[in-house]
């Protein structure tokens, strides 16, 4: 089955850290750009970070720049999001997504072909 499965979410106090993982199954994602998005209740889905097929180029939303780091391990078919200095406004469901056969990272959600089910991140004050 071709799918993306996020893990690593949870409850953390402000200033703490979490690392999210997104494991791909059913095919190789090594030729795909990958992205992380998030959605808080009552809000639109927003871009968080994206990474090129080989990890050489990354993009970040201004709200997370300097705090979050996206990375990938193509041998493990997995992409990561390291989140440091977390703030309550980071609370959301976090989704990973794959842009098939496109190497450049994108901020536009409709560019992505496959989405995971999401993992909840809650940051308390």
């Amino acid at each position: 089955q071709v799918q993306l499965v996020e893990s690593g979410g949870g409850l953390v106090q402000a200033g703490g850290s979490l690392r999210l993982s997104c494991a791909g199954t059913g095919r190789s994602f090594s030729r795909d750009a990958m992205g992380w998005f998030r959605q808080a209740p009552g809000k639109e889905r927003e871009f968080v970070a994206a990474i090129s097929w080989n990890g050489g180029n990354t993009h970040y939303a201004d709200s997370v720049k300097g705090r979050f780091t996206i990375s990938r391990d193509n041998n493990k078919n997995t992409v990561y999001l390291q989140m440091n200095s977390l703030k309550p406004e980071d609370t959301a469901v976090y989704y990973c997504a794959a842009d098939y056969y496109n190497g450049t990272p994108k901020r536009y959600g409709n560019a992505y072909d496959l989405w995971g089910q999401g993992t909840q991140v809650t940051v308390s004050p």
Side-chain angles (χ1 to χ4, degrees):
Q1 184 176 7
V2 177
Q3 63 182 148
L4 297 171
V5 180
E6 301 96 333
S7 62
L11 176 64
V12 64
Q13 293 186 25
S17 298
L18 287 173
R19 189 177 78 155
L20 306 183
S21 297
C22 175
T25 63
R27 66 181 290 277
S28 174
F29 292 85
S30 64
R31 293 169 291 179
D32 310 333
M34 303 291 293
W36 285 97
F37 294 77
R38 67 188 183 187
Q39 187 169 205
K43 295 185 177 181
E44 298 179 355
R45 181 184 62 193
E46 66 174 348
F47 169 78
V48 176
I51 189 167
S52 60
W53 70 275
N54 62 353
N57 293 307
T58 57
H59 292 163
Y60 296 94
D62 288 342
S63 59
V64 307
K65 193 173 298 182
R67 300 188 297 120
F68 291 10
T69 302
I70 188 171
S71 62
R72 67 191 300 163
D73 185 343
N74 284 342
N75 290 327
K76 297 181 178 179
N77 221 24
T78 300
V79 63
Y80 306 96
L81 185 68
Q82 178 67 45
M83 305 184 294
N84 298 327
S85 301
L86 282 162
K87 304 174 180 179
E89 50 263 44
D90 295 318
T91 295
V93 177
Y94 283 70
Y95 300 90
C96 68
D99 183 8
Y100 289 175
Y101 306 113
N102 286 297
T104 56
K106 302 175 181 64
R107 299 173 179 266
Y108 183 46
N110 286 341
Y112 293 85
D113 300 290
L114 180 69
W115 295 79
Q117 84 289 348
T119 185
Q120 175 70 230
V121 172
T122 302
V123 184
S124 62

